[in-house]
Amino acid sequence: MAERLRKRPCGPGEHGQRVEWRKWKKQKKEEKKKWKDLKLMKKLERQRAQEEQAKCQQEEEAAAQGEDRGRPYTLSVALPGSILDNAQSPELRTYLAGQIARACAIFCVDEIVVFDEEGQDAKTVEGEFRGVGKKGQACVQLARILQYLECPQYLRKAFFPKHQDLQFAESKTYRGKVVSSQDPRTKAGLYWGYTVRLASCLSAVFAEAPFQDGYDLTIGTSERGSDVASAQLPSFRHALVVFGGLQGLEAGVDADPNLEVAEPSVLFDLYVNTCPNQGSRTIRTEEAILISLAALQPGLTRAGARPS
């Protein structure tokens, strides 16, 4: 009996009060909705906090990886413009320049220097240029095509007006945005492209270097050089690999009024043969670039990563 007389919590309608069911249900519904909203808000706050934490962690990892992947050194290639004289038509000249650009892009070359070994004394590709046909001004034409191929496709029409030397290099248009030319290499270890420089002679390749202290590692390539397998590359910041034309580097030395040397090897820190026991009597410059950079790349990567 005592059990039945025990008081129970008051509910709707007890103590003689009239139950307003609609109002009661509405109140309970609002309380339930408020509780769900509060629970959802807490869940969203936890989710945002987790996302923010993950984002910060990813940024820290990306920054650390960027520092690790960054390439601290530069690689330059120098070659004579006269190699275009070996091509029989403007179309073949364009194809030859394209092979050089492709090889340099594969091996992440930062600068291409086109030097004159025949006394044309060309130092710039700025200003009006009326075309060259099959012969003449090979340095200017090679530099122009290399510049065009390196330029992002969506900017080519703005920087390069329609020109007969570029008639065989047009391609599809893409969109992009302007970025620093140094950040991809130094921060992310990505390859952005190369610059093109004209040199009036072989000595100008060295004397007019774009770096404050010049190139601290210079490599000449020749069949008369020592075997590349035995070459020991020192640590460096800016490396330069120089290729000769049809007559080799000797032709550039003989035609340079600023050089009083008879042997090209004295101009370089290393003078190497990158294809010993070659089967062909001659190796074309566009072939030599691929062969030489492939042979030198492991050593350049190791030496360039070491602090100088």
Side-chain angles (χ1 to χ4, degrees):
M1 188 68 177
E3 291 288 337
R4 287 197 292 268
L5 293 176
R6 185 179 297 169
K7 290 186 177 180
R8 293 179 293 122
C10 296
E14 295 186 1
H15 304 297
Q17 296 179 355
R18 183 180 177 184
V19 179
E20 297 183 6
W21 290 106
R22 292 183 179 179
K23 185 177 180 180
W24 181 79
K25 288 182 178 179
K26 183 179 180 181
Q27 182 180 354
K28 291 295 183 182
K29 189 175 181 180
E30 289 176 352
E31 290 177 356
K32 187 175 182 181
K33 184 177 183 298
K34 185 177 181 180
W35 177 79
K36 286 184 177 180
D37 290 343
L38 182 61
K39 186 176 180 182
L40 179 61
M41 187 178 299
K42 290 183 178 180
K43 182 178 179 181
L44 291 175
E45 288 177 354
R46 287 196 302 269
Q47 185 176 348
R48 278 196 294 267
Q50 292 173 352
E51 290 176 351
E52 188 67 24
Q53 183 179 2
K55 184 179 179 181
C56 293
Q57 185 176 355
Q58 289 176 356
E59 290 177 352
E60 291 176 358
E61 292 176 354
Q65 291 176 358
E67 292 176 358
D68 294 337
R69 292 201 311 266
R71 176 164 60 90
Y73 64 90
T74 65
L75 175 60
S76 300
V77 163
L79 68 160
S82 62
I83 64 171
L84 289 191
D85 292 337
N86 200 35
Q88 290 78 25
S89 68
E91 184 174 6
L92 290 176
R93 283 187 162 207
T94 304
Y95 178 73
L96 176 57
Q99 286 183 298
I100 294 170
R102 178 65 176 167
C104 290
I106 289 173
F107 291 100
C108 301
V109 171
D110 301 292
E111 179 194 30
I112 303 177
V113 187
V114 181
F115 65 90
D116 175 32
E117 63 175 4
E118 297 180 352
Q120 293 177 12
D121 198 31
K123 293 186 178 180
T124 178
V125 292
E126 295 180 358
E128 184 180 359
F129 182 64
R130 298 180 179 179
V132 297
K134 293 184 179 179
K135 297 290 182 181
Q137 292 189 321
C139 292
V140 177
Q141 187 183 31
L142 177 57
R144 183 184 296 277
I145 297 174
L146 289 174
Q147 283 182 329
Y148 179 84
L149 293 174
E150 193 276 337
C151 181
Q153 294 92 333
Y154 65 95
L155 293 175
R156 287 176 177 172
K157 288 185 178 180
F159 289 156
F160 295 89
K162 190 174 181 180
H163 194 283
Q164 65 182 35
D165 282 344
L166 306 175
Q167 60 181 317
F168 300 108
E170 300 293 342
S171 61
K172 294 188 297 183
T173 304
Y174 298 88
R175 294 187 178 275
K177 61 180 181 180
V178 177
V179 299
S180 168
S181 61
Q182 300 298 320
D183 285 354
R185 173 180 64 84
T186 59
K187 294 184 178 180
L190 301 175
Y191 180 62
W192 181 245
Y194 54 79
T195 60
V196 181
R197 175 166 66 92
L198 276 173
S200 59
C201 54
L202 180 57
S203 60
V205 173
F206 305 90
E208 299 172 3
F211 310 107
Q212 183 176 0
D213 298 323
Y215 304 104
D216 51 357
L217 174 60
T218 57
I219 303 173
T221 60
S222 172
E223 61 181 4
R224 299 174 180 84
S226 59
D227 192 335
V228 69
S230 61
Q232 297 294 324
L233 275 63
S235 60
F236 68 93
R237 292 185 61 193
H238 306 293
L240 170 68
V241 183
V242 183
F243 299 88
L246 300 176
Q247 305 301 322
L249 285 171
E250 290 77 9
V253 171
D254 293 340
D256 195 322
N258 303 315
L259 295 177
E260 297 180 356
V261 298
E263 178 59 40
S265 61
V266 300
L267 302 175
F268 304 96
D269 299 318
L270 297 172
Y271 198 60
V272 297
N273 181 357
T274 57
C275 189
N277 304 316
Q278 63 192 57
S280 173
R281 174 62 188 87
T282 59
I283 295 178
R284 297 171 181 172
T285 304
E286 64 271 23
E287 298 168 336
I289 292 175
L290 278 170
I291 295 170
S292 300
L293 294 183
L296 291 168
Q297 186 184 45
L300 290 170
T301 302
R302 288 193 299 269
R306 296 197 298 263
S308 56

